[in-house]
Amino acid sequence: MKICGVELKGNDAIVCIMSRENGLYDIPSIRVQKIAIADAGDAEQVRAFQFTFAKLMEDYKVDKVVIRGRALKGKFSGGPVGFKLEAAIQLIQDLPVEIIAGSAVKKSLAKSQVDIDFRDTGLKQYQESAFETVFSYFEQSAYKPNSI
């Protein structure tokens, strides 16, 4: 199963695609590591962002998207553009999307018995949070029977 981890930061959706088969993780090289939107107030650009994201998921045969959740209010809350991008991703036809709380990601990484050094993944530094999101999802599901 291929899963895409997403971190929404500013006007960018930072992605990391990962698959796990027989206990082995694979991170394929993909053509783009982030998808940006210049003006989230322009409906045409939001549609273009949604189309581009959906096409990327289709091209790499992604089965599910997991988005790292952000606080709704407070000092560390997500910005309005991020929530708009999140909605655009969630509304993509036939693409299951799940939002995982940042605290659940940290908890799952702490429990994990698999230790992957991020520097060995070949990913860009700004992809670390997206990587942690998808990796923690796989690790959480490792403890739940029939979850993936």
Side-chain angles (χ1 to χ4, degrees):
M1 173 175 249
K2 272 191 189 169
I3 299 179
C4 177
V6 178
E7 179 195 18
L8 298 170
K9 198 172 195 175
N11 291 5
D12 299 326
I14 302 167
V15 299
C16 174
I17 296 175
M18 181 186 283
S19 63
R20 183 179 71 189
E21 215 166 298
N22 300 324
L24 298 174
Y25 291 96
D26 181 44
I27 303 171
S29 180
I30 56 176
R31 68 177 174 261
V32 293
Q33 291 79 28
K34 62 182 166 182
I35 302 169
I37 187 168
D39 180 11
D42 180 11
E44 202 53 47
Q45 285 192 35
V46 175
R47 278 190 211 96
F49 167 85
Q50 186 182 44
F51 175 81
T52 303
F53 192 93
K55 184 68 175 144
L56 184 71
M57 298 302 108
E58 180 187 320
D59 290 351
Y60 289 98
K61 296 174 178 41
V62 171
D63 301 303
K64 185 174 196 165
V65 173
V66 291
I67 300 173
R68 187 179 199 122
R70 291 147 301 124
L72 297 175
K73 54 186 172 180
K75 185 177 179 181
F76 299 106
S77 66
V81 173
F83 289 112
K84 198 171 226 183
L85 298 181
E86 184 178 293
I89 293 169
Q90 287 178 307
L91 293 173
I92 294 172
Q93 201 76 25
D94 301 322
L95 182 65
V97 177
E98 190 173 323
I99 297 173
I100 301 176
S103 59
V105 170
K106 289 183 196 292
K107 191 178 191 182
S108 176
L109 292 174
K111 273 189 191 177
S112 174
Q113 296 181 0
V114 179
D115 186 30
I116 297 179
D117 187 349
F118 179 75
R119 293 170 294 195
D120 296 335
T121 63
L123 298 171
K124 307 245 187 269
Q125 185 63 44
Y126 62 82
Q127 289 179 280
E128 187 169 8
S129 188
F131 164 79
E132 288 175 349
T133 303
V134 69
F135 179 69
S136 71
Y137 182 81
F138 274 121
E139 287 299 293
Q140 285 175 16
S141 62
Y143 302 111
K144 295 179 199 170
N146 304 324
S147 59
I148 290 192

